[in-house]
Amino acid sequence: MDVEQKSRFTVTRSSQAVAADQRAILLADPGFGRIFTDHMVTIRYTEGQGWHSHMVGPREPFQIDPACAVLHYAQEIFEGMKAYRLSDGQIAMFRPEENARRFAESAERMAMPALPEDLFLEAVAELVKIDADWIPEGEGSLYLRPFLFASETFLGVRPSNEYIFCVIASPAGAYFKGGSKAVTLWVSEHYSRAARGGTGAAKCGGNYAASLIAQKEAIGHGCDQVVFLDAVEKKWIEELGGMNLFFVFDDGTVITPPLTGTILPGITRDSLVHLLREEGLNVREEPYSIDQWRADAVKGNLIETMACGTAAVVTPVGSVVGPDGEFSIGSGGTGQITHKLREKLVGIQTGAVADFNGWVVKL
Ligand code: PLP
Ligand code: COI
């Protein structure tokens, strides 16, 4: 192995990196979350010592004790972000400082030490640089998964005294098997994702664990994703298991649920609010009920619904299956605004459309 000291990271190149011809085969159809690059970044935290042992090294399993705190009390947070290969060969990331900020906010909610935002950005950039050959061409991207977990060997219930921060990378194509085709949503009547005072606005693993039974129910009913309602009245639409929602009306109004602490403040959501306003649409961040959604869809004044997130980009919602049966959105396919917005966002991310908001950060 070839070891070098660069910046504050010790870099050790993998001696078992995937060969170029094999990598090309994997990149031809990466799917989502099943192929991984050759390296990972790790930084350790110890109470009293702070952040230390900054490493870029071969991707390998962790050795953790069976009493490792995260395995018992789920003190863990993560981020999801992407690196793109621009047509001129340069590498770009989309609003990475927003991920760094949200990561620090998630850490605070989970009583974990906040990784300094510049260190988060440096860690991600180190991994993208060493694994740059894994960034797919065209619309594909390199999905980056920074995460932080409690690594102390201790069974008492309190914040851990030791943590491991890690970044791994996974070449990504479409999140859904059907590409960007319209998805069907299942309305979860029994299960909530988050309540006021809970962890809904933090990107912690526990939120996803709690959502899996509802997602399983959705699949069991032939749906792609679950849509969660508020935990108190079971009336107000919140978000999907891994995406925010936008509702588009025929009078140029667009509604997206407000950030009241129970949903994730999506970076794609924030970007779409800006882009829709730039297009002259009247975006309102306000509560929207499941009954109103059905009534508006049936009446026809609700013309489109889209789900959005880093992994899912902008995905049209075609139909909704709920306790009172099923209803379709518009024609059940991809609406015009959803299509246009997806093209614009992906265009900005990949350098094909001008980035007037300064969202694209070149490495
Ligand atoms: N909501 C949830 C629960 C998510 O997991 C995600 C994905 O990260 C989003 C919304 C969208 O967030 P972002 O656009 O920052 O990826
Ligand atoms: C992301 O979009 O980055 C997420 O974390 C969502 C997850 C369901 C893959």
PDB file of all heavy atoms in Angstrom, residues 48-78:
ATOM      1  N   GLY A  48     -12.736  14.685  25.248  1.00  0.00           N
ATOM      2  CA  GLY A  48     -11.513  15.195  25.866  1.00  0.00           C
ATOM      3  C   GLY A  48     -10.386  15.382  24.857  1.00  0.00           C
ATOM      4  O   GLY A  48      -9.473  16.171  25.079  1.00  0.00           O
ATOM      5  N   GLN A  49     -10.445  14.647  23.739  1.00  0.00           N
ATOM      6  CA  GLN A  49      -9.381  14.728  22.726  1.00  0.00           C
ATOM      7  C   GLN A  49      -9.899  15.409  21.453  1.00  0.00           C
ATOM      8  O   GLN A  49      -9.144  16.012  20.703  1.00  0.00           O
ATOM      9  CB  GLN A  49      -8.902  13.295  22.414  1.00  0.00           C
ATOM     10  CG  GLN A  49      -7.688  13.224  21.517  1.00  0.00           C
ATOM     11  CD  GLN A  49      -7.300  11.773  21.190  1.00  0.00           C
ATOM     12  OE1 GLN A  49      -7.860  10.814  21.736  1.00  0.00           O
ATOM     13  NE2 GLN A  49      -6.355  11.612  20.290  1.00  0.00           N
ATOM     14  N   GLY A  50     -11.193  15.294  21.223  1.00  0.00           N
ATOM     15  CA  GLY A  50     -11.783  15.874  20.005  1.00  0.00           C
ATOM     16  C   GLY A  50     -11.618  14.962  18.803  1.00  0.00           C
ATOM     17  O   GLY A  50     -11.472  13.742  18.951  1.00  0.00           O
ATOM     18  N   TRP A  51     -11.639  15.577  17.601  1.00  0.00           N
ATOM     19  CA  TRP A  51     -11.559  14.805  16.344  1.00  0.00           C
ATOM     20  C   TRP A  51     -10.106  14.447  16.066  1.00  0.00           C
ATOM     21  O   TRP A  51      -9.227  15.300  16.144  1.00  0.00           O
ATOM     22  CB  TRP A  51     -12.139  15.630  15.192  1.00  0.00           C
ATOM     23  CG  TRP A  51     -13.578  15.968  15.427  1.00  0.00           C
ATOM     24  CD1 TRP A  51     -14.070  17.132  15.943  1.00  0.00           C
ATOM     25  CD2 TRP A  51     -14.716  15.124  15.221  1.00  0.00           C
ATOM     26  NE1 TRP A  51     -15.439  17.065  16.063  1.00  0.00           N
ATOM     27  CE2 TRP A  51     -15.864  15.844  15.621  1.00  0.00           C
ATOM     28  CE3 TRP A  51     -14.889  13.818  14.730  1.00  0.00           C
ATOM     29  CZ2 TRP A  51     -17.148  15.314  15.547  1.00  0.00           C
ATOM     30  CZ3 TRP A  51     -16.167  13.291  14.652  1.00  0.00           C
ATOM     31  CH2 TRP A  51     -17.275  14.035  15.061  1.00  0.00           C
ATOM     32  N   HIS A  52      -9.844  13.203  15.720  1.00  0.00           N
ATOM     33  CA  HIS A  52      -8.460  12.774  15.467  1.00  0.00           C
ATOM     34  C   HIS A  52      -8.431  11.592  14.496  1.00  0.00           C
ATOM     35  O   HIS A  52      -9.483  11.053  14.141  1.00  0.00           O
ATOM     36  CB  HIS A  52      -7.783  12.405  16.802  1.00  0.00           C
ATOM     37  CG  HIS A  52      -8.432  11.256  17.525  1.00  0.00           C
ATOM     38  ND1 HIS A  52      -8.042   9.954  17.359  1.00  0.00           N
ATOM     39  CD2 HIS A  52      -9.475  11.221  18.407  1.00  0.00           C
ATOM     40  CE1 HIS A  52      -8.802   9.161  18.116  1.00  0.00           C
ATOM     41  NE2 HIS A  52      -9.690   9.906  18.749  1.00  0.00           N
ATOM     42  N   SER A  53      -7.258  11.186  14.119  1.00  0.00           N
ATOM     43  CA  SER A  53      -7.039  10.026  13.233  1.00  0.00           C
ATOM     44  C   SER A  53      -7.796  10.194  11.904  1.00  0.00           C
ATOM     45  O   SER A  53      -8.629   9.363  11.538  1.00  0.00           O
ATOM     46  CB  SER A  53      -7.457   8.720  13.913  1.00  0.00           C
ATOM     47  OG  SER A  53      -6.875   8.613  15.182  1.00  0.00           O
ATOM     48  N   HIS A  54      -7.501  11.279  11.200  1.00  0.00           N
ATOM     49  CA  HIS A  54      -8.160  11.557   9.917  1.00  0.00           C
ATOM     50  C   HIS A  54      -7.533  10.669   8.839  1.00  0.00           C
ATOM     51  O   HIS A  54      -6.360  10.816   8.536  1.00  0.00           O
ATOM     52  CB  HIS A  54      -7.952  13.016   9.516  1.00  0.00           C
ATOM     53  CG  HIS A  54      -8.308  14.021  10.574  1.00  0.00           C
ATOM     54  ND1 HIS A  54      -7.701  14.077  11.805  1.00  0.00           N
ATOM     55  CD2 HIS A  54      -9.219  15.023  10.564  1.00  0.00           C
ATOM     56  CE1 HIS A  54      -8.221  15.060  12.528  1.00  0.00           C
ATOM     57  NE2 HIS A  54      -9.147  15.654  11.789  1.00  0.00           N
ATOM     58  N   MET A  55      -8.319   9.778   8.277  1.00  0.00           N
ATOM     59  CA  MET A  55      -7.755   8.813   7.319  1.00  0.00           C
ATOM     60  C   MET A  55      -8.576   8.712   6.037  1.00  0.00           C
ATOM     61  O   MET A  55      -9.802   8.690   6.083  1.00  0.00           O
ATOM     62  CB  MET A  55      -7.768   7.391   7.902  1.00  0.00           C
ATOM     63  CG  MET A  55      -7.323   7.292   9.318  1.00  0.00           C
ATOM     64  SD  MET A  55      -5.584   6.958   9.355  1.00  0.00           S
ATOM     65  CE  MET A  55      -5.653   5.216   9.354  1.00  0.00           C
ATOM     66  N   VAL A  56      -7.867   8.594   4.917  1.00  0.00           N
ATOM     67  CA  VAL A  56      -8.484   8.134   3.669  1.00  0.00           C
ATOM     68  C   VAL A  56      -7.819   6.786   3.436  1.00  0.00           C
ATOM     69  O   VAL A  56      -6.590   6.711   3.364  1.00  0.00           O
ATOM     70  CB  VAL A  56      -8.154   9.071   2.486  1.00  0.00           C
ATOM     71  CG1 VAL A  56      -8.829   8.573   1.211  1.00  0.00           C
ATOM     72  CG2 VAL A  56      -8.554  10.505   2.789  1.00  0.00           C
ATOM     73  N   GLY A  57      -8.613   5.740   3.356  1.00  0.00           N
ATOM     74  CA  GLY A  57      -8.002   4.412   3.225  1.00  0.00           C
ATOM     75  C   GLY A  57      -8.860   3.471   2.418  1.00  0.00           C
ATOM     76  O   GLY A  57      -9.937   3.858   1.945  1.00  0.00           O
ATOM     77  N   PRO A  58      -8.401   2.230   2.256  1.00  0.00           N
ATOM     78  CA  PRO A  58      -9.200   1.255   1.523  1.00  0.00           C
ATOM     79  C   PRO A  58     -10.549   1.048   2.214  1.00  0.00           C
ATOM     80  O   PRO A  58     -10.611   1.075   3.446  1.00  0.00           O
ATOM     81  CB  PRO A  58      -8.372  -0.027   1.602  1.00  0.00           C
ATOM     82  CG  PRO A  58      -7.006   0.394   2.011  1.00  0.00           C
ATOM     83  CD  PRO A  58      -7.142   1.673   2.765  1.00  0.00           C
ATOM     84  N   ARG A  59     -11.599   0.846   1.438  1.00  0.00           N
ATOM     85  CA  ARG A  59     -12.906   0.575   2.043  1.00  0.00           C
ATOM     86  C   ARG A  59     -12.845  -0.818   2.661  1.00  0.00           C
ATOM     87  O   ARG A  59     -12.479  -1.790   2.012  1.00  0.00           O
ATOM     88  CB  ARG A  59     -13.973   0.620   0.945  1.00  0.00           C
ATOM     89  CG  ARG A  59     -15.371   0.473   1.462  1.00  0.00           C
ATOM     90  CD  ARG A  59     -16.383   0.587   0.348  1.00  0.00           C
ATOM     91  NE  ARG A  59     -17.705   0.409   0.898  1.00  0.00           N
ATOM     92  CZ  ARG A  59     -18.232  -0.775   1.191  1.00  0.00           C
ATOM     93  NH1 ARG A  59     -17.571  -1.885   0.947  1.00  0.00           N
ATOM     94  NH2 ARG A  59     -19.443  -0.842   1.725  1.00  0.00           N
ATOM     95  N   GLU A  60     -13.190  -0.896   3.931  1.00  0.00           N
ATOM     96  CA  GLU A  60     -13.107  -2.190   4.627  1.00  0.00           C
ATOM     97  C   GLU A  60     -14.104  -2.221   5.777  1.00  0.00           C
ATOM     98  O   GLU A  60     -14.562  -1.167   6.234  1.00  0.00           O
ATOM     99  CB  GLU A  60     -11.683  -2.410   5.153  1.00  0.00           C
ATOM    100  CG  GLU A  60     -11.257  -1.352   6.144  1.00  0.00           C
ATOM    101  CD  GLU A  60      -9.778  -1.439   6.530  1.00  0.00           C
ATOM    102  OE1 GLU A  60      -9.024  -2.176   5.881  1.00  0.00           O
ATOM    103  OE2 GLU A  60      -9.409  -0.746   7.492  1.00  0.00           O
ATOM    104  N   PRO A  61     -14.432  -3.435   6.283  1.00  0.00           N
ATOM    105  CA  PRO A  61     -15.390  -3.518   7.400  1.00  0.00           C
ATOM    106  C   PRO A  61     -14.813  -2.915   8.671  1.00  0.00           C
ATOM    107  O   PRO A  61     -13.602  -2.893   8.869  1.00  0.00           O
ATOM    108  CB  PRO A  61     -15.592  -5.031   7.582  1.00  0.00           C
ATOM    109  CG  PRO A  61     -15.094  -5.666   6.335  1.00  0.00           C
ATOM    110  CD  PRO A  61     -14.019  -4.755   5.801  1.00  0.00           C
ATOM    111  N   PHE A  62     -15.725  -2.435   9.545  1.00  0.00           N
ATOM    112  CA  PHE A  62     -15.303  -1.983  10.876  1.00  0.00           C
ATOM    113  C   PHE A  62     -15.222  -3.197  11.793  1.00  0.00           C
ATOM    114  O   PHE A  62     -16.012  -4.123  11.652  1.00  0.00           O
ATOM    115  CB  PHE A  62     -16.370  -1.055  11.492  1.00  0.00           C
ATOM    116  CG  PHE A  62     -16.475   0.275  10.825  1.00  0.00           C
ATOM    117  CD1 PHE A  62     -17.634   0.644  10.155  1.00  0.00           C
ATOM    118  CD2 PHE A  62     -15.430   1.179  10.891  1.00  0.00           C
ATOM    119  CE1 PHE A  62     -17.747   1.875   9.552  1.00  0.00           C
ATOM    120  CE2 PHE A  62     -15.540   2.423  10.296  1.00  0.00           C
ATOM    121  CZ  PHE A  62     -16.698   2.768   9.623  1.00  0.00           C
ATOM    122  N   GLN A  63     -14.325  -3.117  12.745  1.00  0.00           N
ATOM    123  CA  GLN A  63     -14.335  -4.119  13.815  1.00  0.00           C
ATOM    124  C   GLN A  63     -14.952  -3.434  15.008  1.00  0.00           C
ATOM    125  O   GLN A  63     -14.361  -2.489  15.568  1.00  0.00           O
ATOM    126  CB  GLN A  63     -12.909  -4.502  14.148  1.00  0.00           C
ATOM    127  CG  GLN A  63     -12.436  -5.675  13.339  1.00  0.00           C
ATOM    128  CD  GLN A  63     -11.522  -6.570  14.165  1.00  0.00           C
ATOM    129  OE1 GLN A  63     -10.933  -6.118  15.125  1.00  0.00           O
ATOM    130  NE2 GLN A  63     -11.416  -7.815  13.776  1.00  0.00           N
ATOM    131  N   ILE A  64     -16.142  -3.842  15.409  1.00  0.00           N
ATOM    132  CA  ILE A  64     -16.755  -3.196  16.579  1.00  0.00           C
ATOM    133  C   ILE A  64     -17.169  -4.246  17.605  1.00  0.00           C
ATOM    134  O   ILE A  64     -17.515  -5.373  17.260  1.00  0.00           O
ATOM    135  CB  ILE A  64     -17.947  -2.279  16.210  1.00  0.00           C
ATOM    136  CG1 ILE A  64     -18.959  -2.988  15.325  1.00  0.00           C
ATOM    137  CG2 ILE A  64     -17.478  -0.998  15.574  1.00  0.00           C
ATOM    138  CD1 ILE A  64     -20.208  -2.176  15.071  1.00  0.00           C
ATOM    139  N   ASP A  65     -17.135  -3.815  18.845  1.00  0.00           N
ATOM    140  CA  ASP A  65     -17.479  -4.703  19.952  1.00  0.00           C
ATOM    141  C   ASP A  65     -18.998  -4.962  19.946  1.00  0.00           C
ATOM    142  O   ASP A  65     -19.772  -4.071  19.600  1.00  0.00           O
ATOM    143  CB  ASP A  65     -17.071  -4.006  21.255  1.00  0.00           C
ATOM    144  CG  ASP A  65     -17.118  -4.943  22.426  1.00  0.00           C
ATOM    145  OD1 ASP A  65     -18.226  -5.101  23.012  1.00  0.00           O
ATOM    146  OD2 ASP A  65     -16.081  -5.536  22.753  1.00  0.00           O
ATOM    147  N   PRO A  66     -19.430  -6.148  20.373  1.00  0.00           N
ATOM    148  CA  PRO A  66     -20.887  -6.393  20.450  1.00  0.00           C
ATOM    149  C   PRO A  66     -21.607  -5.404  21.368  1.00  0.00           C
ATOM    150  O   PRO A  66     -22.818  -5.213  21.235  1.00  0.00           O
ATOM    151  CB  PRO A  66     -20.984  -7.820  20.997  1.00  0.00           C
ATOM    152  CG  PRO A  66     -19.677  -8.453  20.682  1.00  0.00           C
ATOM    153  CD  PRO A  66     -18.644  -7.354  20.677  1.00  0.00           C
ATOM    154  N   ALA A  67     -20.875  -4.784  22.284  1.00  0.00           N
ATOM    155  CA  ALA A  67     -21.515  -3.794  23.177  1.00  0.00           C
ATOM    156  C   ALA A  67     -21.357  -2.369  22.636  1.00  0.00           C
ATOM    157  O   ALA A  67     -21.589  -1.396  23.361  1.00  0.00           O
ATOM    158  CB  ALA A  67     -20.923  -3.891  24.575  1.00  0.00           C
ATOM    159  N   CYS A  68     -20.987  -2.230  21.378  1.00  0.00           N
ATOM    160  CA  CYS A  68     -20.844  -0.899  20.761  1.00  0.00           C
ATOM    161  C   CYS A  68     -22.193  -0.163  20.865  1.00  0.00           C
ATOM    162  O   CYS A  68     -23.243  -0.700  20.474  1.00  0.00           O
ATOM    163  CB  CYS A  68     -20.435  -1.082  19.302  1.00  0.00           C
ATOM    164  SG  CYS A  68     -20.198   0.468  18.446  1.00  0.00           S
ATOM    165  N   ALA A  69     -22.152   1.061  21.385  1.00  0.00           N
ATOM    166  CA  ALA A  69     -23.387   1.776  21.731  1.00  0.00           C
ATOM    167  C   ALA A  69     -24.392   1.879  20.577  1.00  0.00           C
ATOM    168  O   ALA A  69     -25.596   1.725  20.779  1.00  0.00           O
ATOM    169  CB  ALA A  69     -23.037   3.164  22.247  1.00  0.00           C
ATOM    170  N   VAL A  70     -23.894   2.113  19.355  1.00  0.00           N
ATOM    171  CA  VAL A  70     -24.840   2.314  18.244  1.00  0.00           C
ATOM    172  C   VAL A  70     -25.698   1.071  17.994  1.00  0.00           C
ATOM    173  O   VAL A  70     -26.845   1.178  17.562  1.00  0.00           O
ATOM    174  CB  VAL A  70     -24.101   2.737  16.951  1.00  0.00           C
ATOM    175  CG1 VAL A  70     -23.272   1.592  16.360  1.00  0.00           C
ATOM    176  CG2 VAL A  70     -25.087   3.265  15.916  1.00  0.00           C
ATOM    177  N   LEU A  71     -25.160  -0.097  18.290  1.00  0.00           N
ATOM    178  CA  LEU A  71     -25.913  -1.329  18.031  1.00  0.00           C
ATOM    179  C   LEU A  71     -27.093  -1.474  18.973  1.00  0.00           C
ATOM    180  O   LEU A  71     -28.027  -2.233  18.713  1.00  0.00           O
ATOM    181  CB  LEU A  71     -24.998  -2.550  18.178  1.00  0.00           C
ATOM    182  CG  LEU A  71     -23.802  -2.610  17.239  1.00  0.00           C
ATOM    183  CD1 LEU A  71     -22.974  -3.862  17.496  1.00  0.00           C
ATOM    184  CD2 LEU A  71     -24.268  -2.588  15.783  1.00  0.00           C
ATOM    185  N   HIS A  72     -27.060  -0.718  20.064  1.00  0.00           N
ATOM    186  CA  HIS A  72     -28.113  -0.863  21.082  1.00  0.00           C
ATOM    187  C   HIS A  72     -29.070   0.321  21.122  1.00  0.00           C
ATOM    188  O   HIS A  72     -30.273   0.144  21.221  1.00  0.00           O
ATOM    189  CB  HIS A  72     -27.458  -1.090  22.451  1.00  0.00           C
ATOM    190  CG  HIS A  72     -26.595  -2.301  22.427  1.00  0.00           C
ATOM    191  ND1 HIS A  72     -27.065  -3.556  22.712  1.00  0.00           N
ATOM    192  CD2 HIS A  72     -25.300  -2.470  22.039  1.00  0.00           C
ATOM    193  CE1 HIS A  72     -26.094  -4.449  22.530  1.00  0.00           C
ATOM    194  NE2 HIS A  72     -25.017  -3.811  22.121  1.00  0.00           N
ATOM    195  N   TYR A  73     -28.503   1.532  21.003  1.00  0.00           N
ATOM    196  CA  TYR A  73     -29.351   2.714  21.185  1.00  0.00           C
ATOM    197  C   TYR A  73     -29.429   3.604  19.948  1.00  0.00           C
ATOM    198  O   TYR A  73     -29.982   4.701  20.010  1.00  0.00           O
ATOM    199  CB  TYR A  73     -28.868   3.504  22.410  1.00  0.00           C
ATOM    200  CG  TYR A  73     -28.712   2.609  23.620  1.00  0.00           C
ATOM    201  CD1 TYR A  73     -27.524   2.531  24.320  1.00  0.00           C
ATOM    202  CD2 TYR A  73     -29.770   1.792  24.023  1.00  0.00           C
ATOM    203  CE1 TYR A  73     -27.378   1.680  25.409  1.00  0.00           C
ATOM    204  CE2 TYR A  73     -29.633   0.926  25.097  1.00  0.00           C
ATOM    205  CZ  TYR A  73     -28.438   0.868  25.793  1.00  0.00           C
ATOM    206  OH  TYR A  73     -28.307   0.023  26.852  1.00  0.00           O
ATOM    207  N   ALA A  74     -28.834   3.132  18.843  1.00  0.00           N
ATOM    208  CA  ALA A  74     -29.020   3.784  17.543  1.00  0.00           C
ATOM    209  C   ALA A  74     -28.613   5.252  17.510  1.00  0.00           C
ATOM    210  O   ALA A  74     -29.267   6.066  16.835  1.00  0.00           O
ATOM    211  CB  ALA A  74     -30.473   3.621  17.072  1.00  0.00           C
ATOM    212  N   GLN A  75     -27.557   5.594  18.242  1.00  0.00           N
ATOM    213  CA  GLN A  75     -27.077   6.988  18.184  1.00  0.00           C
ATOM    214  C   GLN A  75     -26.262   7.111  16.896  1.00  0.00           C
ATOM    215  O   GLN A  75     -25.056   6.826  16.867  1.00  0.00           O
ATOM    216  CB  GLN A  75     -26.257   7.328  19.433  1.00  0.00           C
ATOM    217  CG  GLN A  75     -26.151   8.816  19.677  1.00  0.00           C
ATOM    218  CD  GLN A  75     -25.153   9.157  20.776  1.00  0.00           C
ATOM    219  OE1 GLN A  75     -24.440   8.286  21.286  1.00  0.00           O
ATOM    220  NE2 GLN A  75     -25.101  10.429  21.137  1.00  0.00           N
ATOM    221  N   GLU A  76     -26.940   7.524  15.829  1.00  0.00           N
ATOM    222  CA  GLU A  76     -26.332   7.540  14.484  1.00  0.00           C
ATOM    223  C   GLU A  76     -27.013   8.581  13.620  1.00  0.00           C
ATOM    224  O   GLU A  76     -28.229   8.749  13.696  1.00  0.00           O
ATOM    225  CB  GLU A  76     -26.493   6.160  13.839  1.00  0.00           C
ATOM    226  CG  GLU A  76     -25.758   5.967  12.523  1.00  0.00           C
ATOM    227  CD  GLU A  76     -26.578   6.279  11.274  1.00  0.00           C
ATOM    228  OE1 GLU A  76     -27.790   6.603  11.383  1.00  0.00           O
ATOM    229  OE2 GLU A  76     -26.001   6.211  10.181  1.00  0.00           O
ATOM    230  N   ILE A  77     -26.234   9.274  12.813  1.00  0.00           N
ATOM    231  CA  ILE A  77     -26.791  10.226  11.840  1.00  0.00           C
ATOM    232  C   ILE A  77     -26.086  10.032  10.501  1.00  0.00           C
ATOM    233  O   ILE A  77     -24.988   9.459  10.459  1.00  0.00           O
ATOM    234  CB  ILE A  77     -26.613  11.697  12.299  1.00  0.00           C
ATOM    235  CG1 ILE A  77     -25.129  12.032  12.550  1.00  0.00           C
ATOM    236  CG2 ILE A  77     -27.446  11.984  13.532  1.00  0.00           C
ATOM    237  CD1 ILE A  77     -24.850  13.521  12.687  1.00  0.00           C
ATOM    238  N   PHE A  78     -26.716  10.520   9.436  1.00  0.00           N
ATOM    239  CA  PHE A  78     -26.067  10.392   8.130  1.00  0.00           C
ATOM    240  C   PHE A  78     -26.489  11.520   7.202  1.00  0.00           C
ATOM    241  O   PHE A  78     -27.376  12.303   7.511  1.00  0.00           O
ATOM    242  CB  PHE A  78     -26.352   9.012   7.523  1.00  0.00           C
ATOM    243  CG  PHE A  78     -27.774   8.776   7.084  1.00  0.00           C
ATOM    244  CD1 PHE A  78     -28.142   8.935   5.763  1.00  0.00           C
ATOM    245  CD2 PHE A  78     -28.749   8.378   7.988  1.00  0.00           C
ATOM    246  CE1 PHE A  78     -29.447   8.704   5.335  1.00  0.00           C
ATOM    247  CE2 PHE A  78     -30.062   8.140   7.574  1.00  0.00           C
ATOM    248  CZ  PHE A  78     -30.405   8.303   6.246  1.00  0.00           C
TER     249      PHE A  78
END
